[in-house]
């Protein structure tokens, strides 16, 4: 009787252990599949980010900033200020965009010494990097470090931005990062961050002006069609209509010159 009871208890213990083991294996497999799913999800978002950088980085003639595409993973952004005093908020002030650096030691592929730029009180240079090794976009400050309370030791620390820290939510694009940089640097922030520099377009060769107007119009059209509310939609629409007029007026001459 004692032996039978002992055997029954062993069977129960073994059954419980098998159930626990199966649950553990099932959990590990699910976690592994979840990790794989997240990896490919982030990879897909990074591919979208690369395409956005390529498309956005080739555009020019904006009023408040300039873009320089540097390879597949880097985009240089120059934010222009109205004056030397029109810069980021001083410590203690509040604004929609917050400024600071993260504690993550995530240096960009291009060190700060590579930029070789001199500090200009009317311009601030940023590096937007989307490196495959981080699988995440980050932004580094590349000029006027002292003006923003950063030291040389902080030059390779990414900025603490809402658009990059919450990038995993999938609601932010590279131009959202640029809009936050403008809000953070220019006081008061521009009514329309993506205002077109019409005077710069007017000075161009007719063929180049026609092509650039078409590219800008396509970008502004997609900006208006996004599922996102913004206060400057009317200003975007005004620029879009002007760009379309410029493009279609110059298109016949552009086609004739190719023939």
């Amino acid at each position: 009787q004692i032996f039978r009871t002992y055997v029954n208890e062993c069977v129960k213990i073994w059954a419980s252990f098998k159930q626990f083991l199966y649950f553990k294996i099932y959990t590990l497999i699910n976690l592994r599949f979840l990790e794989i799913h997240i990896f490919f999800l982030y990879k897909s978002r990074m591919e979208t980010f690369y395409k956005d950088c390529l498309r956005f980085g080739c555009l020019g003639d904006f009023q408040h900033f300039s873009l320089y595409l540097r390879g597949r993973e880097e985009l240089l952004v120059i934010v222009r200020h109205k004056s030397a005093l029109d810069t980021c908020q001083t410590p203690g002030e509040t604004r929609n965009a917050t400024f600071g650096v993260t504690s993550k030691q995530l240096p960009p592929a291009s060190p700060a010494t590579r930029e070789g730029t001199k500090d200009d009180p009317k311009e601030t240079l940023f590096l937007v990097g989307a490196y495959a090794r981080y699988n995440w976009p980050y932004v580094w400050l590349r000029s006027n470090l002292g003006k923003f309370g950063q030291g040389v030791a902080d030059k390779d620390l990414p900025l603490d931005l809402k658009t990059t820290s919450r990038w995993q939510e999938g609601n932010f694009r590279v131009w959202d990062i640029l809009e936050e940089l403008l809000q953070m640097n220019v006081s008061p922030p521009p009514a329309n961050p993506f205002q077109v520099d019409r005077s710069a377009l007017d000075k161009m060769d007719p063929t180049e002006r026609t092509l650039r107007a078409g590219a800008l119009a396509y970008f502004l059209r997609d900006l208006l069609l996004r599922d996102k509310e913004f206060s400057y939609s009317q200003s975007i629409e005004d620029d879009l209509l002007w760009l379309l007029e410029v493009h279609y007026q110059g298109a016949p001459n552009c086609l004739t010159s190719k023939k």
Side-chain angles (χ1 to χ4, degrees):
Q1 182 67 27
I2 296 176
F3 178 74
R4 184 178 299 174
T5 303
Y6 173 77
V7 171
N8 290 336
E9 289 297 326
C10 289
V11 170
K12 290 179 182 179
I13 293 173
W14 174 244
S16 299
F17 176 74
K18 283 199 303 182
Q19 187 176 6
F20 170 77
L21 188 62
Y22 291 154
F23 174 77
K24 193 71 173 178
I25 294 174
Y26 176 78
T27 303
L28 291 175
I29 292 175
N30 280 344
L31 287 175
R32 185 56 180 168
F33 275 114
L34 180 61
E35 290 175 357
I36 294 173
H37 173 73
I38 293 175
F39 171 78
F40 281 106
L41 178 63
Y42 283 4
K43 186 176 181 180
S44 174
R45 290 178 181 172
M46 288 298 288
E47 288 296 329
T48 301
F49 196 85
Y50 293 143
K51 293 177 182 178
D52 286 346
C53 284
L54 177 61
R55 176 188 173 190
F56 190 51
C58 292
L59 297 177
D61 309 304
F62 290 103
Q63 187 76 37
H64 304 291
F65 62 88
S66 299
L67 302 169
Y68 299 94
L69 190 64
R70 193 164 65 184
R72 170 181 166 87
E73 299 180 325
E74 293 183 340
L75 178 66
L76 291 177
V77 178
I78 296 178
V79 175
R80 290 189 286 271
H81 313 295
K82 296 177 183 176
S83 67
L85 298 177
D86 187 14
T87 55
C88 180
Q89 72 264 34
T90 57
E93 290 183 343
T94 58
R95 191 179 295 179
N96 292 335
T98 58
F99 177 80
V101 295
T102 68
S103 58
K104 301 177 181 178
Q105 296 291 335
L106 300 170
S110 300
T113 53
R114 175 179 168 181
E115 309 305 342
T117 57
K118 296 181 179 180
D119 286 348
D120 187 338
K122 294 185 179 181
E123 293 182 348
T124 304
L125 178 64
F126 296 91
L127 171 64
V128 180
Y131 303 114
R133 59 175 173 170
Y134 297 147
N135 207 26
W136 198 283
Y138 290 102
V139 180
W140 291 267
L141 183 63
R142 278 294 172 261
S143 69
N144 300 326
L145 296 177
K147 185 191 303 181
F148 293 92
Q150 281 190 265
V152 178
D154 298 328
K155 63 185 178 181
D156 283 338
L157 294 177
L159 301 182
D160 186 14
L161 304 177
K162 181 181 74 171
T163 47
T164 53
S165 61
R166 296 172 54 188
W167 178 77
Q168 78 278 8
E169 297 177 10
N171 299 323
F172 298 106
R173 310 287 288 271
V174 64
W175 37 87
D176 294 319
I177 294 176
L178 191 123
E179 182 178 355
E180 185 175 3
L181 290 176
L182 282 170
Q183 291 176 349
M184 182 180 70
N185 282 269
V186 183
S187 178
N192 176 10
F194 304 100
Q195 182 179 351
V196 174
D197 190 350
R198 300 187 183 189
S199 61
L201 283 171
D202 287 335
K203 296 175 183 177
M204 290 182 184
D205 174 82
T207 300
E208 184 178 0
R209 179 171 60 248
T210 299
L211 296 176
R212 289 210 178 195
L216 284 167
Y218 186 72
F219 168 72
L220 294 185
R221 169 190 170 275
D222 285 355
L223 204 62
L224 280 175
L225 294 178
R226 289 184 62 191
D227 294 331
K228 179 183 177 181
E229 296 182 0
F230 42 87
S231 58
Y232 49 88
S233 57
Q234 185 59 51
S235 179
I236 291 285
E237 187 173 344
D238 292 341
D239 277 341
L240 174 59
L241 293 176
W242 182 82
L243 288 169
L244 289 174
E245 182 180 355
V246 171
H247 177 71
Y248 285 114
Q249 283 180 353
N253 294 332
C254 185
L255 293 174
T256 303
S257 63
K258 284 189 176 182
K259 290 181 180 180

